[in-house]
Amino acid sequence: MDRTGTPLPTRTVVVTGAGSGIGRACARLLVERGDAVGLVDRDRRALREVADELAHAGERVATAEVDVADGFALREARDELAERLPGPVDAVVAGAGTMAGGAFAAGVPGEWADMIDSNLTGMLQTAQTFVRDLALAAAEGRSDLVVVGAIAGTAGFPRFAVYSAVEAAVGQLARTLRAELGVQGIRVHQVQPGVTGTRLGSAMSDRAARREWSALHRDVPPVDPTAVARAVLFGLDQPPHVTVTDMVVLPTRQDAALPTVQGTPEPAHRRWSLR
């Protein structure tokens, strides 16, 4: 319900990266309130787990196993979801992504390529694949594209040069799409989480980066993915003429991360910001 107690219209939302973390939390909250959700992920096992968890929603939930960086496969998935979901898509939460860290001089180009493919190319493919659906939805009411980025895109974090650069590109994409699509009535929101309790970063090949990642999570209690998901829903629930442009969701103890935008030194164990 909105602030006046009026029931909110049911939405049909596609969530990428729905198998874990923030995407999974978004899917849960959307289903709980009666929305229809298309779950998209490249991890078959994770996708099956979340689908089983939400099986009580019946036909309001549909899945598509696909790598969002593969534009052709994503378009096929879009068509399959359109046939299986009970209504036309009027919102997309683009949350698929990965992260690698380590000293730049010793970086692994293959890991850079994976981040670029998943986080940036995947975002481009997702937005383009569903932009026509969102344009049609805008003509009928609310229409939303939610870009899940990371605060690393606006601050400098040592040993995360490539990840930060990719997330900066994601942020600029959100800003320019907002300018281009807003005139059609499509709202583009960006959510930038700080340290969040997800699996992101757990498979990094750089051992030193993994150790520091673990130390950070001990020193700074992470935000629960559900808290970030609530920020996503806050943007979705605004009146059609209102866009929440940028939402930064940080753990309270991560306040030392933001001054890096102005170049202020910070403790070594607080130099990370994860999605």
Side-chain angles (χ1 to χ4, degrees):
M1 294 186 179
D2 64 17
R3 282 180 243 176
T4 68
T6 303
L8 293 166
T10 300
R11 309 289 301 269
T12 299
V13 188
V14 170
V15 180
T16 70
S20 62
I22 295 169
R24 188 168 185 164
C26 287
R28 286 195 192 110
L29 292 185
L30 291 164
V31 166
E32 283 176 8
R33 69 181 200 170
D35 293 331
V37 184
L39 309 171
V40 176
D41 204 288
R42 66 182 181 181
D43 185 330
R44 176 178 299 179
R45 181 175 179 178
L47 193 61
R48 185 181 299 117
E49 286 177 357
V50 69
D52 289 345
E53 179 185 345
L54 302 177
H56 62 278
E59 294 182 355
R60 287 192 292 116
V61 173
T63 64
E65 180 192 343
V66 63
D67 186 338
V68 292
D70 185 338
F72 180 77
L74 187 59
R75 287 190 291 275
E76 286 191 330
R78 177 259 168 211
D79 293 342
E80 291 175 6
L81 291 173
E83 292 179 359
R84 295 166 58 194
L85 290 170
V89 172
D90 59 16
V92 174
V93 178
T98 187
M99 182 185 72
F104 180 75
V108 180
E111 292 183 344
W112 298 350
D114 189 38
M115 279 192 291
I116 293 169
D117 284 347
S118 296
N119 301 23
L120 182 56
T121 302
M123 193 73 70
L124 292 165
Q125 297 286 9
T126 299
Q128 188 180 62
T129 297
F130 290 97
V131 69
R132 289 179 179 82
D133 297 288
L134 295 178
L136 291 172
E140 300 295 329
R142 286 179 298 178
S143 176
D144 297 273
L145 171 63
V146 181
V147 173
V148 181
I151 194 63
T154 58
F157 294 92
R159 294 172 300 284
F160 288 89
V162 179
Y163 177 69
S164 295
V166 170
E167 293 304 321
V170 168
Q172 184 63 10
L173 175 65
R175 286 185 286 273
T176 52
L177 285 181
R178 187 179 303 129
E180 180 174 342
L181 302 180
V183 295
Q184 302 177 47
I186 302 173
R187 305 184 298 189
V188 181
H189 319 270
Q190 182 183 199
V191 180
Q192 295 179 304
V195 181
T196 308
T198 72
R199 296 185 309 184
L200 188 72
S202 60
M204 288 185 293
S205 64
D206 188 279
R207 293 181 180 179
R210 287 204 312 274
R211 284 196 299 269
E212 191 169 342
W213 179 86
S214 297
L216 175 70
H217 279 65
R218 289 193 300 269
D219 295 340
V220 180
V223 168
D224 189 277
T226 301
V228 183
R230 290 195 184 102
V232 171
L233 268 63
F234 176 78
L236 295 180
D237 290 345
Q238 298 307 302
H241 65 289
V242 176
T243 301
V244 183
T245 58
D246 295 283
M247 292 175 277
V248 177
V249 184
L250 295 178
T252 301
R253 295 185 185 180
Q254 199 189 343
D255 56 353
L258 290 179
T260 59
V261 176
Q262 290 135 5
T264 302
E266 58 174 319
H269 68 290
R270 291 190 180 178
R271 289 176 181 164
W272 292 38
S273 184
L274 311 180
R275 154 165 88 184

